[in-house]
Amino acid sequence: MTKPIVNLIDYNPNWEKQFEYEKKRILDALGDKVVGIEHIGSTSIKGLEAKPIIDIIVGLQDLDEVSNFVSPLNAIEYEYVPKPEFKDRRFFRKGLSGQGTCHLHICQFNSSEWIEKLLFRDHLRLHPKVAEEYAFLKKELASKYQFDRPTYTKNKEPFIKKIIEKARKEIHSK
């Protein structure tokens, strides 16, 4: 198994097309069980450097239905990867471990998991300065933890949580 490295690359406008392609395939495979599907993560923020992995979140009415999706998603190259640390979502990867091209996160629609992922994405899209701060942090962490993706990811969490809280306050003050 290849150890996942942190490899940030310049923003690629094709990431949006790649998301649209995967979205269609996922919707064709899962049908009307999907309540929402969104492009999240750094590849969804124009201009932001990112690991070249398309993050997709799918919202369902009932997370217990995911067991019915393992086979149809496998047919379109998404492998279910059990992650006990993810209590409120299920994780699928397209591509080999450490070399995945897409990460699919399935959660309950409008759950805190769903809302927080979209709050963070939307806040970065609306606030380019905050996106620049995030880019700087990611570059710093990527150089420090290039061969330790879990630590790289864990060290982004305080910034992400701070932005989600800030985004929540902005919404509630409107």
Side-chain angles (χ1 to χ4, degrees):
M1 180 167 86
T2 306
K3 187 171 172 109
I5 65 167
V6 180
N7 177 33
L8 301 178
I9 65 170
D10 288 339
Y11 177 78
N12 182 340
N14 287 325
W15 287 337
E16 193 57 43
K17 292 181 190 109
Q18 201 178 341
F19 164 71
E20 290 299 331
Y21 172 77
E22 295 298 334
K23 175 182 175 179
K24 182 182 181 334
R25 294 177 78 228
I26 292 164
L27 289 172
D28 287 347
L30 302 184
D32 61 358
K33 295 293 184 187
V34 174
V35 182
I37 183 167
E38 296 281 342
H39 186 185
I40 58 169
S42 294
T43 59
S44 71
I45 313 295
K46 283 183 176 51
L48 193 62
E49 283 185 20
K51 296 185 306 292
I53 299 167
I54 306 301
D55 279 291
I56 301 167
I57 192 167
V58 165
L60 306 175
Q61 287 297 346
D62 184 0
L63 196 54
D64 291 334
E65 291 185 68
V66 173
S67 58
N68 300 326
F69 298 158
V70 173
S71 184
L73 287 170
N74 201 31
I76 60 167
E77 305 168 76
Y78 283 88
E79 173 190 5
Y80 175 60
V81 181
K83 293 206 176 248
E85 68 271 26
F86 294 166
K87 302 287 183 226
D88 298 323
R89 67 180 146 131
R90 302 297 176 265
F91 180 76
F92 291 77
R93 178 187 60 237
K94 182 178 180 181
L96 300 173
S97 179
Q99 302 168 31
T101 57
C102 294
H103 287 169
L104 177 59
H105 310 267
I106 301 181
C107 67
Q108 190 167 338
F109 184 73
N110 275 341
S111 64
S112 61
E113 191 77 34
W114 174 271
I115 291 166
E116 288 178 1
K117 297 275 187 282
L118 297 184
L119 276 173
F120 183 71
R121 179 202 66 191
D122 294 348
H123 193 83
L124 292 187
R125 285 179 173 176
L126 289 169
H127 300 89
K129 288 279 186 230
V130 177
E132 281 177 31
E133 283 177 49
Y134 187 52
F136 180 79
L137 172 66
K138 286 171 43 145
K139 282 181 210 167
E140 196 175 74
L141 294 173
S143 69
K144 195 172 183 179
Y145 302 110
Q146 181 181 2
F147 300 103
D148 186 356
R149 196 189 288 178
T151 302
Y152 163 82
T153 301
K154 185 160 184 50
N155 281 287
K156 292 187 306 179
E157 285 176 12
F159 181 89
I160 292 168
K161 285 184 174 145
K162 181 181 89 175
I163 296 309
I164 290 168
E165 284 314 305
K166 194 173 182 178
R168 271 199 175 103
K169 286 177 183 160
E170 281 183 14
I171 286 171
H172 293 300
S173 69
K174 289 181 180 177

